[in-house]
Amino acid sequence: MKHVALGLICILTTAMPAIAWEPGDDWRDNQCESVIDGADRVANVCRGVYGRGEVFLGIYWNDGAEVVGPCNATESWPMEYRGLSRADAYDWLVEYCGW
């Protein structure tokens, strides 16, 4: 019985196609860069393209501040921020999303 279960696991694992990156996943190293903000703090800026070319942004600081979400935010899927002002979050969006 163990051999059958192990065989099924092997078949299913190899039969599954490679899964593309999607928002909410851990960021890949090639999607992120470290930058210094205006207050001389390090921010980790991550951008990934998914689906039909939608750009997803994540900016993280060591103190827990962050800006995260799709660059083409909607009411049902907004760009979210915490630990910084709305104006500061907007400035980052202008810089990295081209708003």
Side-chain angles (χ1 to χ4, degrees):
M1 193 62 150
K2 279 185 180 179
H3 294 288
V4 172
L6 185 57
L8 284 174
I9 290 171
C10 289
I11 290 170
L12 290 174
T13 323
T14 56
M16 296 175 103
I19 298 172
W21 177 84
E22 292 185 11
D25 288 348
D26 292 332
W27 295 96
R28 295 179 188 158
D29 288 340
N30 67 347
Q31 294 175 319
C32 301
E33 64 178 312
S34 292
V35 300
I36 304 296
D37 69 9
D40 286 330
R41 299 180 309 164
V42 175
N44 196 22
V45 179
C46 303
R47 286 178 290 191
V49 177
Y50 67 94
R52 297 186 175 152
E54 182 76 27
V55 178
F56 196 81
L57 179 69
I59 306 170
Y60 308 93
W61 288 264
N62 289 336
D63 65 1
E66 62 183 29
V67 178
V68 180
C71 282
N72 293 327
T74 64
E75 189 174 304
S76 62
W77 197 357
M79 180 64 75
E80 299 175 355
Y81 62 94
R82 72 174 175 194
L84 64 162
S85 71
R86 181 181 180 141
D88 287 342
Y90 182 80
D91 286 344
W92 283 92
L93 297 176
V94 169
E95 177 75 22
Y96 289 98
C97 286
W99 284 15

